[in-house]
Amino acid sequence: MRRIMLVTAGLLISIFAWSNEMISGKVMTVVDGNTVVVILEDQSTYKIMLYGIDCPELGQDYGDVARRYLEKLLLDRTVTVEMKGKNRWGTRLGVIIPEGGTDPRYKLLKEGLAWTAEVNPIPELEGLKEKARAKGKGLWEQDHPTPPWTFRRQQTMLQTKWS
């Protein structure tokens, strides 16, 4: 029991340590609509997903549009990243602010190119998504767009299972 408590405490401490870390670097790659690779001065790289939003996957409607939009906002720009932890696959989550710019999450949501997080959406971001939905912007031109988390689950179910 004591060992479990120590492990749990260690995990919580590491999560909070990650959530307060700030890094600065240059966006060298835009992977998709909500994921970038940042290179730091020491040449180390970080793959970072935008915290609190989820864009269509590249195989979905508006997936490539979201990626190209994020490229315009961040590619080859110096950014500051406030780390917010990791997702269940170990990818770092962060709030990315370009030098002299605006939070790209706000712009993606306003253009109708992103959903808010599936679980515990941030109220401020949820409001931006709902405004884009009400205006029928971007992916909200569709009657019932498929959220990226549903699309990923569907893709997983289509994969051949090996025994």
Side-chain angles (χ1 to χ4, degrees):
M1 183 66 160
R2 186 170 164 206
R3 180 176 280 165
I4 292 172
M5 289 177 60
L6 288 172
V7 169
T8 302
L11 286 172
L12 288 173
I13 289 169
S14 67
I15 288 169
F16 289 118
W18 263 105
S19 65
N20 294 328
E21 184 181 3
M22 299 284 283
I23 62 169
S24 291
K26 186 175 184 178
V27 174
M28 62 184 280
T29 306
V30 174
V31 177
D32 59 26
N34 59 292
T35 310
V36 300
V37 177
V38 175
I39 186 166
L40 307 187
E41 217 172 82
D42 67 3
Q43 301 305 303
S44 60
T45 59
Y46 288 76
K47 184 176 179 181
I48 301 167
M49 292 180 70
L50 294 172
Y51 175 72
I53 70 165
D54 200 352
C55 290
E57 295 294 323
L58 293 178
Q60 283 187 270
D61 291 338
Y62 292 94
D64 197 51
V65 175
R67 183 187 56 79
R68 287 193 315 265
Y69 190 74
L70 191 59
E71 281 180 345
K72 288 180 188 176
L73 296 175
L74 297 180
L75 188 60
D76 295 324
R77 295 202 49 198
T78 300
V79 296
T80 300
V81 182
E82 178 185 355
M83 296 298 190
K84 293 291 191 175
K86 293 182 179 182
N87 66 13
R88 62 183 174 186
W89 298 281
T91 305
R92 293 173 176 93
L93 303 171
V95 175
I96 302 173
I97 307 295
E99 201 170 75
T102 303
D103 188 334
R105 300 175 305 161
Y106 298 165
K107 292 182 176 188
L108 285 160
L109 287 164
K110 286 178 183 179
E111 292 301 316
L113 298 175
W115 277 262
T116 51
E118 178 183 17
V119 179
N120 300 322
I122 300 166
E124 177 184 11
L125 299 179
E126 185 71 14
L128 294 172
K129 180 197 79 174
E130 290 304 322
K131 284 180 186 175
R133 180 187 288 197
K135 292 178 182 177
K137 292 191 81 171
L139 60 90
W140 302 114
E141 291 176 338
Q142 302 170 341
D143 287 333
H144 300 288
T146 302
W149 51 86
T150 301
F151 180 82
R152 289 189 293 268
R153 289 177 191 136
Q154 291 168 344
Q155 297 305 302
T156 300
M157 293 176 73
L158 293 173
Q159 292 176 355
T160 304
K161 305 291 188 250
W162 299 94
S163 52

